[in-house]
Amino acid sequence: MRDFEFLSPTKIIFGRNSEAKVGREVKNYSRKILLHYGKGSIIRTGLYDRVVKSLKEEGIDFIELGGVQPNPRVSLVREGIEICRKNGINFILAIGGGSVIDSSKAIAVGVPYSGDVWDFYAGKMEPKTALPVGVVLTIPAAGSEASKSSVITNEDGWYKRSINTEIIRPRFAIMNPEVTFTLPPYQTACGAADIMAHVMERYFTNDKGVNFTDRLCEATLKTVIYNVPIVLKKPDDYDARAQIMWASTIAHNDLLSTGRTGDWASHGIEHELSGIYDIPHGAGLAIVFPAWMRYVYKHNIERFIQFAINVWNVEPNFESPERIALEGVERLKRFFKDIGLPTSLSEANIGEDRLEEMATKATERGELGEFVKLKKEDVLNILRSVLK
Ligand code: NZQ
Ligand code: ZN
């Protein structure tokens, strides 16, 4: 087990009607804020009205910027930065999912910086300061509500790139599982794949002596596997929605990375898919992750056997050790299929014409992943293996 320091200070405010507390929380930081949201689901569901009521009760002024789209774009981030500067805004409230939160984080690092915000995502500069960000979460998926990451797409070249820095972890996250009752089944499923991917990126490590975090990872995965079919049948099952929502935060607030390094190659490959083809991140992961597993399992077959037995209940005496490992991967893939996700590129209407470009982009800053280091050719092989 590696040495570590752990501080993941996002205050979680969880439960029914918790959005009524948003004014109280924001007041600790600012009286004039940017209200940032997506394409309108929060207006249709009434969440917008409830948030505005709470802000008004606390005398908080706000300027709005809606329109964040899934796979959020840098052009809207730049607009947000200008609005904050012109109006002396020093706090951003994100109401939405990973896309809105990531766009908010990008605005937060962009406002105090004299250059163009893309410099950070292109790896040219490190952000030094950021405005504080608060979150009202509407979809359990990206884990951005308590993560140190922001992922933004640049329309110029369709690069989807991330920054990772402690200064952008949200100050608070308000999480009411009832708000997620309105999620379409496909978004629920995409969210589940992303939560599971965040755990699995951490699970497949080369570090030894990490059985405590292994067990935490397995419990988080099993929670998602158990509860997602329940909410797909009964979208307003509060307890099942609540388990998934809390699991999404724990999957990505770095508790599960304590004492170990993760892999993150599947995320690197997926970001090329959603960057170029604008598919949901979770759908891309459902295609890439099982393919990555089949490509690398021989590197540490014992770990894959543990995954198969502890997460997917494969019988320890099933055929052969190799078959156990592969059966775990097969059950993961079947789960993704059963909840309505694509598991091949063709199911997502992606052909072979741009695989080379994606493999080049994914590895242009060096080899991808930690568990097994992947070169461009490896990425290409993985993508080719899931064409059909
Ligand atoms: O835009 P609106 O109208 O709000 O609709 C959204 C959007 O269409 C809808 N939705 C959200 N909550 C809803 C709802 N519809 C009905 N009822 C609700 N309660 O769902 C759609 C997807 O929203 P989005 O925010 O895009 O989803 P998600 O949370 O999956 O975020 C995806 C983005 O996060 C990035 C992904 O790459 C992707 O760009 N990630 C961010 C990470 C981070 N910052 O730590 C880590 C992840 O690995 C990931 O890369
Ligand atoms: Zn993810």
Side-chain angles (χ1 to χ4, degrees):
M1 180 167 166
R2 288 171 183 258
D3 298 344
F4 69 88
E5 294 185 13
F6 177 63
L7 177 68
S8 194
T10 304
K11 176 178 179 182
I12 305 294
I13 300 154
F14 196 100
R16 291 185 171 90
N17 302 319
S18 47
E19 62 273 14
K21 298 174 185 163
V22 67
R24 183 195 81 185
E25 290 303 313
V26 170
K27 199 172 59 177
N28 295 327
Y29 300 95
S30 177
R31 298 269 169 191
K32 190 170 186 191
I33 69 169
L34 182 73
L35 209 63
H36 202 31
Y37 56 89
K39 290 286 200 187
S41 70
I42 64 159
I43 294 168
R44 291 191 295 278
T45 61
L47 177 64
Y48 172 89
D49 291 337
R50 300 199 296 280
V51 168
V52 164
K53 179 169 178 277
S54 172
L55 294 174
K56 285 193 171 152
E57 279 168 4
E58 298 293 346
I60 292 158
D61 266 354
F62 58 85
I63 292 180
E64 289 183 32
L65 180 62
V68 179
Q69 61 195 94
N71 302 316
R73 309 293 202 258
V74 73
S75 51
L76 193 72
V77 169
R78 292 187 181 120
E79 220 178 287
I81 292 169
E82 279 314 304
I83 293 174
C84 289
R85 286 183 185 152
K86 273 201 194 109
N87 295 280
I89 284 172
N90 58 4
F91 184 89
I92 300 153
L93 182 65
I95 316 175
S99 297
V100 174
I101 303 167
D102 287 3
S103 184
S104 300
K105 289 171 170 177
I107 296 170
V109 291
V111 172
Y113 175 59
S114 57
D116 178 37
V117 66
W118 190 254
D119 290 349
F120 299 133
Y121 292 82
K124 288 188 198 153
M125 295 292 288
E126 284 269 323
K128 296 275 185 303
T129 55
L131 301 185
V133 171
V135 172
V136 179
L137 186 66
T138 64
I139 170 171
S144 186
E145 66 277 7
S147 85
K148 61 175 182 201
S149 312
S150 159
V151 192
I152 299 292
T153 298
N154 193 333
E155 301 94 319
D156 183 7
W158 299 105
Y159 280 90
K160 188 174 184 182
R161 292 290 177 261
S162 59
I163 56 169
N164 293 285
T165 162
E166 290 296 337
I167 62 173
I168 57 173
R169 268 195 220 270
R171 302 302 168 97
F172 63 81
I174 291 181
M175 296 168 48
N176 174 0
E178 289 174 323
V179 163
T180 69
F181 292 175
T182 54
L183 275 172
Y186 191 59
Q187 288 300 338
T188 298
C190 287
D194 197 17
I195 299 168
M196 292 174 73
H198 294 159
V199 180
M200 296 185 298
E201 295 280 19
R202 292 171 165 95
Y203 191 80
F204 292 99
T205 182
N206 292 320
D207 293 315
K208 305 269 185 277
V210 289
N211 55 69
F212 173 54
T213 38
D214 275 358
R215 297 295 90 74
L216 293 178
C217 286
E218 290 159 1
T220 311
L221 288 170
K222 291 180 93 151
T223 299
V224 176
I225 295 163
Y226 178 78
N227 286 289
V228 167
I230 296 177
V231 301
L232 289 177
K233 280 206 196 79
K234 192 170 177 293
D236 62 351
D237 187 314
Y238 179 86
D239 285 325
R241 287 285 191 192
Q243 311 312 303
I244 298 168
M245 202 174 201
W246 188 216
S248 82
T249 307
I250 294 300
H252 202 38
N253 78 343
D254 287 327
L255 173 68
L256 303 184
S257 329
T258 48
R260 58 200 288 155
T261 48
D263 182 70
W264 299 101
S266 299
H267 265 73
I269 300 171
E270 194 300 309
H271 284 162
E272 301 308 330
L273 287 179
S274 49
I276 290 179
Y277 292 98
D278 206 16
I279 59 172
H281 172 60
L285 287 167
I287 299 167
V288 171
F289 226 114
W292 172 83
M293 287 176 160
R294 276 192 303 272
Y295 197 73
V296 304
Y297 75 95
K298 287 186 178 149
H299 172 70
N300 184 345
I301 201 157
E302 290 303 321
R303 189 152 273 283
F304 276 89
I305 290 172
Q306 176 182 285
F307 174 72
I309 293 174
N310 291 357
V311 179
W312 297 102
N313 305 319
V314 178
E315 291 292 316
N317 56 0
F318 186 82
E319 297 178 23
S320 68
E322 180 160 14
R323 288 292 310 137
I324 295 174
L326 287 170
E327 180 63 16
V329 180
E330 194 47 42
R331 289 189 192 183
L332 169 69
K333 187 174 162 186
R334 217 176 302 145
F335 176 78
F336 286 154
K337 250 188 192 321
D338 287 348
I339 63 173
L341 294 173
T343 53
S344 68
L345 292 170
S346 63
E347 286 169 72
N349 298 317
I350 297 173
E352 59 186 322
D353 47 324
R354 298 180 78 176
L355 299 191
E356 176 94 25
E357 176 189 345
M358 288 191 278
T360 304
K361 276 176 155 181
T363 51
E364 69 186 12
R365 286 203 223 158
E367 292 173 332
L368 215 51
E370 287 290 332
F371 184 65
V372 173
K373 294 203 181 291
L374 304 177
K375 296 187 171 40
K376 178 186 161 186
E377 209 46 41
D378 300 308
V379 174
L380 205 49
N381 289 338
I382 289 172
L383 288 170
R384 282 196 185 122
S385 75
V386 277
L387 263 172
K388 295 252 174 295

